[in-house]
Amino acid sequence: MKIVDARVFVCSPGRNFVTLKITTDEGIYGLGDATLNGRELAVASYLSEHVVPCLIGRDPFETEDIWQYLYRGAYWRKGPVTMTAISAVDVALWDIKGKALGQPLYNLLGGRCREGVTVYAHATGRDIEETADEVARHIELGYRAVRAQSGVPGLASTYGVAKHGGTYEPAERGLPTEHVWSTGKYMRHVPKLFEALRVRFGDDVHLLHDAHHRLKPIEAARLGRDLEPYRLFWLEDPTPAELQEGFRLIRQGTTTPIAVGEVFDSIWDAKQLISEQLIDYLRMSVLHGGGITPMKKAAAFAHMYHVQTGCHGATDLSPITMGAALHFDLSIPNFGLQEHMPHTPETDEVFPHAYYFENGYMHPGDVPGHGVDFNEALAEKYPYQRAYLPVNRREDGTLWDW
Ligand code: EZ4
Ligand code: CO
């Protein structure tokens, strides 16, 4: 079998997605997600200008060699644009393999290791009560794990909370909006949120929280300690992770489990975090982590150090990534938890998929490949619209991490 064509699509059914379609001489095609929130066109151009010409004529079964060719062969390694592009190729090729062999992807990756993939939902509200009501709604929907974010008194807006309540979407159309941040106000508020949630919901539901890279390590250690009575499943992205040894300070200060890695693009971003046992969950995704090929290796490495996976699954990862992630989650021994933020009906219509939610689990479905398709004609009705993630400043105007 040979690759005869590869095309890049950019569409915006509610938000922007970049999709790669690779077609073979046998008529089988595979789909990969190439979405990098706020920098979509850079990946689209990287693919169509620099990667697609190198794919024509190759055997789509050679996922390892093609991955090495695109990673090592580029000379310039790593980086979110490069790794997202490589991921799109890798996932599309695994999709082709599954379709050619008539098998769901999980059977090519080691087979099922569990009944289904436990997912966590997002509960978000402008204050503690509204957030608690959202937690209640998600427990009723069957979720066993819920991430809780709430507005902070004295701050006009914060990460994870929609301005008018309801569903939260991490990018906005137009130029970046600016938020104002206060670490002190935030840190005083979050323990009150989780105290209220444990009083109302008891101990059975898993509760999570995302600090979204806004704290310094010593502050994260204190927040983790303040949250210990409420037994979080994990505290996510407590601090930016370029300085991996910075996590030692967090570890020394708290036993709250730590999850990090949604912005990682390679195992090198996590090598020290894992080998020093500084984290509990690796959140790197098949999308931004370079595909299924490197994620299998990253998971195996993490397994040696008691680190489990906790794949990123926000709405800016397309349904193709959700499908691929579910096959990956099902087939590795050290799966931890998968994020699930439902897409809009428009997005689901553009990307018809076999995966489904039932009793707190997601299932990838049993169709060959990853089980997610792409409706090209419908996608054309939703052209790209420039959109950005917000930026964050401290109260005195200093630029901060968003
Ligand atoms: O802000 O995916 O856990 N999920 C998150 C996301 C990220 C977005 C950034 O594009 O932190 O909502
Ligand atoms: Co996050």
Side-chain angles (χ1 to χ4, degrees):
M1 192 156 44
K2 290 212 175 322
I3 297 169
V4 292
D5 188 33
R7 288 178 62 199
V8 181
F9 302 85
V10 185
C11 66
S12 195
R15 68 162 346 285
N16 292 317
F17 294 110
V18 182
T19 303
L20 176 69
K21 180 175 185 176
I22 299 181
T23 307
T24 68
D25 55 353
E26 294 182 17
I28 296 174
Y29 64 87
L31 295 164
D33 178 18
T35 308
L36 183 63
N37 202 357
R39 296 293 185 272
E40 294 86 0
L41 300 185
V43 187
S45 142
Y46 188 103
L47 278 169
S48 51
E49 301 294 329
H50 304 294
V51 173
V52 165
C54 303
L55 293 176
I56 309 304
R58 288 180 191 278
D59 179 348
F61 271 84
E62 294 175 358
T63 44
E64 184 64 49
D65 185 68
I66 291 173
W67 195 92
Q68 299 292 336
Y69 184 92
L70 294 175
Y71 181 79
R72 299 162 81 169
Y75 187 66
W76 310 105
R77 301 182 187 208
K78 294 181 78 288
V81 174
T82 296
M83 299 312 288
T84 301
I86 295 178
S87 164
V89 174
D90 188 69
V91 169
L93 296 183
W94 278 103
D95 190 29
I96 289 172
K97 284 202 233 201
K99 287 172 174 168
L101 298 170
Q103 287 294 326
L105 205 47
Y106 63 77
N107 273 342
L108 279 59
L109 302 175
R112 284 174 176 278
C113 284
R114 54 193 54 80
E115 291 294 315
V117 176
T118 309
V119 291
Y120 71 93
H122 287 195
T124 159
R126 285 162 293 186
D127 54 29
I128 289 175
E129 208 178 309
E130 205 173 87
T131 302
D133 289 346
E134 277 294 290
V135 172
R137 189 171 70 80
H138 284 97
I139 291 172
E140 255 164 55
L141 286 170
Y143 287 94
R144 300 154 197 267
V146 184
R147 186 189 91 163
Q149 310 289 135
S150 117
V152 175
L155 295 182
S157 54
T158 189
Y159 167 74
V161 180
K163 267 220 167 77
H164 310 290
T167 320
Y168 171 73
E169 167 55 49
E172 289 166 55
R173 285 179 173 160
L175 293 175
T177 55
E178 299 209 356
H179 292 183
V180 177
W181 175 248
S182 159
T183 299
K185 287 174 181 155
Y186 167 79
M187 287 200 27
R188 287 193 289 278
H189 183 64
V190 176
K192 293 177 194 156
L193 167 66
F194 283 90
E195 183 185 15
L197 296 179
R198 280 298 176 215
V199 167
R200 180 158 163 192
F201 300 106
D203 288 333
D204 279 349
V205 64
H206 294 306
L207 295 175
L208 299 80
H209 181 70
D210 192 347
H212 221 257
H213 304 120
R214 286 151 186 229
L215 305 176
K216 296 197 291 178
I218 200 68
E219 294 163 344
R222 182 147 54 88
L223 182 64
R225 187 184 293 181
D226 290 348
L227 291 171
E228 278 173 23
Y230 316 118
R231 292 167 304 284
L232 258 57
F233 188 93
W234 76 42
L235 173 62
E236 177 169 328
D237 289 341
T239 192
E242 287 96 331
L243 183 71
Q244 296 185 42
E245 62 260 42
F247 279 66
R248 289 177 190 152
L249 275 176
I250 304 175
R251 264 302 197 234
Q252 285 155 14
T254 182
T255 56
T256 291
I258 302 297
V260 72
E262 64 186 43
V263 302
F264 292 178
D265 57 53
S266 124
I267 190 60
W268 296 102
D269 292 335
K271 181 178 171 285
Q272 192 180 2
L273 292 174
I274 291 170
S275 62
E276 286 191 31
Q277 295 175 265
L278 299 177
I279 60 170
D280 301 282
Y281 297 93
L282 178 64
R283 284 187 39 75
M284 195 159 70
S285 66
V286 297
L287 170 55
H288 301 119
I292 287 170
T293 298
M295 281 299 290
K296 284 285 281 183
K297 299 172 192 176
F301 174 62
H303 195 197
M304 294 169 66
Y305 296 93
H306 305 285
V307 176
Q308 293 174 271
T309 62
C311 290
H312 188 205
T315 41
D316 49 305
L317 291 75
S318 97
I320 293 171
T321 291
M322 178 52 76
L326 292 171
H327 289 270
F328 169 76
D329 296 339
L330 204 58
S331 63
I332 56 165
N334 55 327
F335 165 74
L337 193 63
Q338 167 73 48
E339 184 175 19
H340 177 225
M341 206 179 155
H343 290 104
T344 61
E346 292 79 13
T347 297
D348 282 335
E349 219 187 330
V350 170
F351 297 93
H353 50 260
Y355 64 75
Y356 60 97
F357 175 83
E358 200 177 72
N359 296 328
Y361 295 132
M362 297 274 288
H363 302 274
D366 291 320
V367 305
H370 56 49
V372 185
D373 211 343
F374 179 60
N375 184 333
E376 287 171 45
L378 188 58
E380 270 180 32
K381 294 192 182 153
Y382 301 105
Y384 167 78
Q385 300 198 30
R386 177 168 288 123
Y388 287 92
L389 292 167
V391 298
N392 211 19
R393 293 186 188 275
R394 306 194 77 136
E395 287 169 308
D396 71 355
T398 307
L399 198 92
W400 200 243
D401 303 286
W402 174 71

